[in-house]
Amino acid sequence: MERRPLVAANWKMYKTVAEAVDTAHRMCQRIAADAVAEVMVAPTFVSLAGVGDAIRGSNIVLGAQNMHWEKEGAFTGEVSAAMLQSVGCRYVILGHSERRQFFGETDQSIHRKIVSAFQAGLVPVFCIGETEAERDSPQTFAVLERQLGGGLGQLNDEEIQSLVIAYEPVWAIGTGKTASNDQIQEVHAFLRRYLADQYNNALAKSIRILYGGSVKPGNATQILALPDVDGALVGGASLDAESFARIVESCPG
Ligand code: PGA
């Protein structure tokens, strides 16, 4: 089954609204309308509307970096899935390691968010990945199984098939240390086998699994060519329109 690559920009807590809108305009000018990859940009909440306007009519789609699982209520400082949907988001990044590490997110809370995202018609980009200590122990595969199992919970096959998984080894995020091609392919193949065992072959073959962690124009071609890699989640190198466009162009045609 054909899996269209997704190249996603995670701008984290960078850029004012004006800077975000400006970068979004540059990305629209720079990224070809007929790019092989689907392209998503996830600015901060305050820039979603402005960036949404800037990318309207282009082939770039909007994503958010987080959301709350409840539909609405007395949850000061939080944003719901329906709110993201109302501002034009198609995707929402959930379970990013920085949210797990600094904001106490657990497999259970991430699962609730994934369920709510689907209810609002958003596509979750569900992040998983081991820390350096977990890789060294070695517990990489046990950790990934736990994160996947906990996050996906009792979702049905159709939902699981339509979400996007992002494998991001924590030790490779923002560190300049990219996992080797062998390490990336080994994990992606493992994830696909796990999904085939737990669910079914068709689901495992059609689900998109992105790699994230220090993806840059200089290493993107090799990473994106790996057989089980279906795109990239890009942090640092997505802040600049030119470098992000070069990563988008690195997808094999
Ligand atoms: P990085 O971040 O590309 O800066 O390593 C990736 C991510 O956190 O999604």
Side-chain angles (χ1 to χ4, degrees):
M1 203 174 291
E2 190 66 25
R3 300 189 300 261
R4 187 176 181 204
L6 172 65
V7 179
N10 173 11
W11 284 352
K12 308 192 180 187
M13 199 174 74
Y14 291 102
K15 296 185 187 293
T16 62
V17 174
E19 289 164 348
V21 168
D22 180 61
T23 310
H25 279 302
R26 286 173 202 275
M27 278 173 30
C28 291
Q29 284 161 5
R30 183 58 185 74
I31 295 171
D34 60 353
V36 171
E38 187 181 1
V39 181
M40 181 263 268
V41 58
T44 62
F45 289 139
V46 294
S47 294
L48 283 171
V51 168
D53 286 342
I55 62 180
R56 187 156 303 130
S58 77
N59 64 336
I60 303 173
V61 299
L62 196 62
Q65 300 174 18
N66 178 37
M67 49 165 255
H68 192 62
W69 59 78
E70 291 289 350
K71 286 196 170 68
E72 61 180 11
F75 300 104
T76 302
E78 294 294 331
V79 171
S80 75
M83 293 167 194
L84 297 180
Q85 209 269 341
S86 74
V87 79
C89 286
R90 181 177 307 172
Y91 289 97
V92 58
I93 299 169
L94 293 175
H96 190 281
S97 65
E98 287 151 16
R99 304 259 359 135
R100 295 180 192 255
Q101 191 179 344
F102 303 124
F103 302 98
E105 293 201 7
T106 62
D107 296 331
Q108 287 68 35
S109 64
I110 295 161
H111 175 66
R112 295 176 78 177
K113 291 181 180 199
I114 292 176
V115 171
S116 300
F118 275 125
Q119 282 168 357
L122 297 172
V123 178
V125 176
F126 170 35
C127 302
I128 56 175
E130 82 287 358
T131 62
E132 189 151 39
E134 287 164 344
R135 177 162 281 266
D136 291 345
S137 357
Q139 293 170 36
T140 299
F141 297 119
V143 168
L144 295 173
E145 278 188 12
R146 193 206 72 221
Q147 292 177 338
L148 261 189
L152 298 179
Q154 300 305 314
L155 294 177
N156 63 44
D157 289 8
E158 205 179 312
E159 287 171 327
I160 295 171
Q161 189 160 332
S162 68
L163 61 68
V164 177
I165 292 173
Y167 168 59
E168 299 202 302
V170 178
W171 47 273
I173 295 179
T175 57
K177 274 200 234 173
T178 325
S180 71
N181 293 340
D182 286 350
Q183 287 172 324
I184 298 171
Q185 173 55 28
E186 182 188 32
V187 169
H188 282 235
F190 165 80
L191 296 172
R192 235 180 263 291
R193 266 198 317 277
Y194 172 89
L195 292 165
D197 290 347
Q198 297 290 317
Y199 305 98
N200 61 69
N201 254 323
L203 178 153
K205 281 206 176 106
S206 62
I207 195 167
R208 291 184 293 179
I209 308 178
L210 315 185
Y211 170 77
S214 300
V215 176
K216 301 198 160 37
N219 60 25
T221 303
Q222 284 197 347
I223 293 171
L224 292 167
L226 296 169
D228 284 300
V229 172
D230 308 310
L233 182 53
V234 188
S238 75
L239 295 170
D240 175 69
E242 174 62 27
S243 91
F244 184 63
R246 285 170 58 201
I247 295 171
V248 172
E249 288 164 357
S250 303
C251 282

